[in-house]
């Protein structure tokens, strides 16, 4: 059995953004030497997501508007979490809708994807350094 | 270490539906010969879900109504994604609520389930051929 | 390859609660002897969640209020599932937002976590015995 671990680092200049990280995950997979197995990709921070969907900017604008409607950032005083001095309670809620992690099958040394699947880092409280973990298990 | 890969194909005649795929996943597990491991089941399309919940038709009607309330299909012009010529932006949103994938423990050659757990394919943009991937890792 | 299976039992005295189960998962990992691998933690019941977020009571109050807004418990007659004699349809919906499971990387014998990640059991229909499954695969 082989295992491989890699961190991806981000410092998103805005509060919120979606970044396609598929090339970095593919590079980690190539470095792992795993041909058959499972690839876990997870946000290491609790105000960010890793999810799989379409790389289409209109859709990303729809996600942004929809998440803001489901869990608005303001008024920040609406959230008890923000009494700790934070202003990011909404980011903890948005991340639950989009998810913490994805698990992707590895087949013949490749991410075993359907036609449009791409992996995204979803940032909901940016403007600082944050990480994603890639862990690959197989042989 | 063993690994096993299988695709399940669907062509749902309606736009939206929930289909119990537990028997097909159990068959894939039996074919794998894996006794102890992990079983990943994921939608290969980004307007569909795989999730675990109850096989109760009233609950499925509740999910349908609730998802339509959280992310309505119409007016389709509400979504920027639909400016690409699609009318399925809502399906991309609904799928995030219900999730892309499940990972199920395999113990003594069986899906290691609680009393009511069943695996469903959730279709949110049907009327065409789409796939689910089953990938089993273990020994 | 090693595999390890353990159940965690709960009997939450209220309808809803969030319980930090990180110490129990760490104990299961220590018992497994796995140094490199993947750790699946999932609710075995379909009205409960396992998720990763912050151990901050204000945030948990925000989750409680937000989930109740997205999928209210009452009026229970609003849900078709409740015509079966249940009153927990909302719990099935809330669980989809928060998720069934987490998969955590295991590195050097530890849960490979970011700075604030903690694992929670989310109960949405308590006052009876329910279980979480921990399954660890690796070597």
């Amino acid at each position: 059995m082989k295992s491989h671990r890699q961190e991806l680092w981000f410092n998103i200049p805005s509060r919120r953004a979606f970044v396609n990280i598929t090339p970095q995950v593919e590079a980690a997979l190539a470095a792992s030497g795993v041909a058959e197995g499972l690839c876990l990709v997870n946000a290491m921070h609790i105000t960010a997501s890793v999810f799989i969907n379409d790389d289409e900017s209109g859709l990303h604008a729809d996600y942004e508007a929809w998440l803001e409607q489901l869990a608005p950032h303001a008024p920040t005083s609406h959230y008890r979490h923000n009494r700790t001095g934070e202003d990011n309670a909404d980011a903890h809620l948005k991340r639950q809708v989009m998810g913490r992690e994805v698990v992707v099958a590895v087949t013949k040394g490749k991410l075993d994807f359907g036609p449009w699947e791409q992996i995204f880092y979803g940032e909901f409280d940016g403007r600082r350094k944050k990480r994603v973990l890639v862990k690959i298990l197989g042989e």
Side-chain angles (χ1 to χ4, degrees), chain A:
Chain A
M1 208 200 72
K2 286 178 181 171
S3 75
H4 180 78
R5 179 195 195 275
Q6 200 162 322
E7 292 182 357
L8 311 177
W9 284 82
F10 303 90
N11 195 341
I12 305 290
S14 53
R15 185 182 295 275
R16 291 193 291 273
F18 300 119
V19 181
N20 189 335
I21 60 172
T22 314
Q24 292 95 312
V25 178
E26 286 172 338
L29 177 54
S32 76
V34 169
E36 298 293 324
L38 295 174
C39 174
L40 167 69
V41 188
N42 69 266
M44 299 186 80
H45 296 259
I46 52 190
T47 51
S49 285
V50 169
F51 66 95
I52 287 177
N53 219 293
D54 195 1
D55 196 356
E56 199 280 301
S57 62
L59 178 65
H60 296 182
D62 292 333
Y63 278 137
E64 162 65 17
W66 179 61
L67 291 168
E68 187 60 14
Q69 179 193 324
L70 291 181
H73 176 70
T76 55
S77 62
H78 174 67
Y79 299 103
R80 286 191 45 181
H81 179 59
N82 290 338
R83 297 184 195 170
T84 62
E86 300 279 359
D87 69 351
N88 65 5
D90 66 302
H92 292 270
L93 277 53
K94 289 172 167 112
R95 117 72 170 257
Q96 290 306 123
V97 176
M98 298 303 278
R100 167 188 179 260
E101 79 215 10
V102 297
V103 178
V104 182
V106 175
T107 302
K108 296 181 182 171
K110 303 289 183 191
L111 298 175
D112 196 337
F113 269 159
W116 299 102
E117 290 190 286
Q118 295 282 292
I119 309 175
F120 290 89
Y121 175 65
E123 177 62 85
F124 304 116
D125 186 35
R127 299 179 291 196
R128 53 199 174 93
K129 289 176 76 176
K130 292 166 82 171
R131 284 176 291 163
V132 161
L133 179 63
V134 183
K135 183 89 182 191
I136 302 165
L137 199 73
E139 67 178 18

